[in-house]
């Protein structure tokens, strides 16, 4: 069984690489999040491979409220006989903008020394290719299987996933029994952090810099708040997670906007912060703690009016009962293909997988990629994927699906 699947994947590997190159060459920068054109082209490529593709267009008003321009999520369903589990494979096509510092065209999909360069080559258009060609090998294998495999290719992970998997699940379009989601080849990820993102606005009173006493300096208040927020990290570092791969919570201020000109006392400052939550933390308690810290710090600042808005509350992912066989099967085939033990671990990232586990769907994170996010330059300049990792991850996923869908005697 494994040898036949491996051979099929090897025979179609050049096609798989070309498939990935075409996906990388179509920008899906989010923001602005105009991702329907990429979904349309992906659907064409999948159709050419013999799959029936469902295109689920998220209504424009819903997309606009989510801060994006267009979202079309794709679903492919393939059934192998009757009964058996329904296993979904999910990867996201939206990406952060390329940024600066690239030595390769971020949308060129150039191959150099066995590596494919481009934005989303590692995270996670790579797993559009992994999952598509694993299912293709399974479909053409003729193996006696029972159950179904679905591809869920979605386009809202960078903004929280609510218009991607969240929307598909809420609308009742999908409801798998198990999930494998985009990841890296050298570990099976079974847990991840949660994330709270907030926008904090400090309203003061702008005035001429020559008459500072006639204004209320919002930036001075913001400076006090920044000091308190970063000092809070000393407290957070004492809260240790027991999940391998996850250390402690962290708070980061990722964006600051304020002031109107050099000679004007700033009348308004906006901060956007990101608070990572370890799996052991309670999200409601974390949000209450952050709000209390902000309010108590700003309260002594005379004349400052405070606004706090939640932008995102993403729960952590924890292993669910029923995921054990999925995880063990991925590990077994990963060790056979890669020739080394494939451990389970957690990740400090947050992912769309939490949206599935929140619905009681057992899941694991596994796909094509290196040992760490940093190795692939994911979300940085010169993001790349080692093509040999793509081939081997495809073998692992195809083998895992075949074992989980294997028709047992008497069944």
């Amino acid at each position: 069984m494994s040898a036949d699947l491996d051979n099929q994947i090897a025979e179609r590997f050049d096609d798989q690489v070309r498939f990935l190159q075409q996906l990388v060459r179509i920008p899906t920068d989010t923001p602005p999040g105009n991702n329907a054109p990429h979904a349309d082209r992906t659907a064409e490529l999948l159709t050419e491979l013999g799959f029936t593709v469902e295109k689920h267009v998220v209504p424009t008003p819903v997309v606009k409220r989510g801060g994006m321009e267009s979202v079309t999520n794709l679903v492919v369903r393939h059934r192998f006989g009757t009964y058996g589990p329904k296993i979904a494979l999910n990867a996201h096509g939206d990406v952060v903008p390329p940024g600066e510092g690239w030595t390769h065209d971020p949308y060129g999909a150039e191959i150099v020394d066995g590596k494919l360069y481009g934005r989303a080559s590692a995270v996670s258009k790579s797993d559009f290719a992994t999952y598509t060609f694993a299912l293709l090998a399974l479909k053409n294998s003729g193996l006696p299987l029972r159950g179904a495999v679905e591809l869920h290719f979605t386009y809202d992970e960078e903004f929280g996933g609510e218009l991607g998997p969240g929307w598909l699940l809420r609308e009742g379009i999908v409801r798998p029994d198990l999930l494998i989601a985009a990841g890296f080849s050298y570990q099976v990820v079974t847990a991840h952090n949660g994330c709270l993102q907030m926008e904090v606005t400090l309203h003061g009173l702008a005035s001429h810099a020559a008459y500072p006493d006639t204004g209320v300096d919002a930036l001075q208040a913001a400076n006090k708040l920044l000091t308190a927020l970063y000092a809070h990290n000393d407290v957070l570092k004492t809260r240790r997670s027991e999940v391998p791969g996850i250390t402690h919570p962290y708070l980061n201020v990722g964006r600051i906007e304020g002031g109107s000109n050099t000679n004007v006392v700033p009348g308004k400052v906006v901060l956007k912060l990101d608070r990572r939550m370890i799996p052991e933390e309670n999200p409601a308690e974390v949000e209450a703690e952050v709000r209390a810290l902000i309010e108590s710090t700003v309260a002594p600042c005379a004349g400052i009016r405070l606004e706090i808005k939640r932008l995102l509350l993403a729960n952590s992912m924890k292993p669910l009962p029923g995921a054990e066989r999925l995880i063990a099967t991925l590990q077994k085939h990963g060790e056979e293909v890669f020739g080394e033990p494939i451990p389970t671990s957690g990740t400090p990232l947050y992912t769309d997988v939490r949206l599935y586990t929140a619905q009681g769907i057992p899941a694991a994170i596994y796909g094509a990629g290196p040992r760490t996010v940093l190795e692939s330059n994911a979300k940085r300049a010169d993001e790349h994927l080692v093509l040999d990792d793509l081939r081997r991850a495809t073998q692992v996923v195809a083998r895992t699906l075949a074992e989980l869908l294997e028709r047992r005697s008497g069944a």
Side-chain angles (χ1 to χ4, degrees), residues 306-326:
L306 176 66
E307 286 184 82
I308 305 174
K309 181 170 72 172
R310 181 208 290 174
L311 302 176
L312 171 72
L313 183 61
N315 291 327
S316 61
M317 170 199 172
K318 303 173 186 177
L320 291 181
E324 299 88 354
R325 186 175 175 222
L326 169 62

Side-chain angles (χ1 to χ4, degrees), residues 35-58:
N35 295 331
H38 189 278
D40 290 340
R41 180 57 180 146
T42 303
E44 291 175 358
L45 295 172
L46 290 167
T47 301
E48 290 170 7
L49 291 171
F51 294 112
T52 299
V53 185
E54 302 171 15
K55 296 167 71 173
H56 296 280
V57 180
V58 182

Side-chain angles (χ1 to χ4, degrees), residues 49 73 77 128 135 142 165 292 325 346 402:
L49 291 171
N73 297 308
R77 309 178 202 260
F128 277 41
L135 177 55
R325 186 175 175 222

Side-chain angles (χ1 to χ4, degrees), residues 117-276:
Y117 285 85
R119 175 56 82 229
S121 59
V123 182
S124 75
K125 291 177 182 177
S126 55
D127 283 329
F128 277 41
T130 305
Y131 299 157
T132 296
F133 280 80
L135 177 55
L136 188 63
L138 215 62
K139 178 184 172 186
N140 295 333
S141 69
L143 292 169
L145 305 176
R146 179 167 288 178
V149 176
E150 295 182 351
L151 305 179
H152 300 175
F153 293 157
T154 56
Y155 287 90
D156 182 34
E157 196 269 352
E158 301 298 346
F159 275 20
E162 293 294 344
L163 302 184
W167 189 77
L168 291 175
L169 289 161
R170 284 193 305 274
E171 294 295 314
I173 295 167
V174 299
R175 181 69 194 192
D177 300 309
L178 294 169
L179 174 77
I180 301 174
F184 289 160
S185 304
Y186 295 86
Q187 62 270 328
V188 178
V189 173
T190 58
H192 68 59
N193 273 351
C195 181
L196 168 67
Q197 293 182 349
M198 307 177 84
E199 180 180 88
V200 181
T201 304
L202 303 167
H203 296 277
L205 178 65
S207 66
H208 198 293
Y211 304 97
D213 292 341
T214 64
V216 179
D217 192 334
L219 186 55
Q220 285 195 35
N223 183 45
K224 292 181 180 179
L225 179 57
L226 284 168
T227 299
L229 290 173
Y230 281 120
H232 186 55
N233 275 324
D234 292 334
V235 175
L236 299 183
K237 288 176 182 178
T238 67
R239 302 176 185 174
R240 311 297 294 189
S241 174
E242 295 182 0
V243 179
I246 296 176
T247 54
H248 55 75
Y250 193 78
L251 191 152
N252 179 68
V253 178
R255 189 171 178 85
I256 304 174
E257 302 173 12
S260 58
N261 204 1
T262 312
N263 62 347
V264 177
V265 171
K268 177 181 174 181
V269 174
V270 180
L271 310 177
K272 292 185 178 181
L273 62 88
D274 178 301
R275 165 65 159 83
R276 296 294 159 131

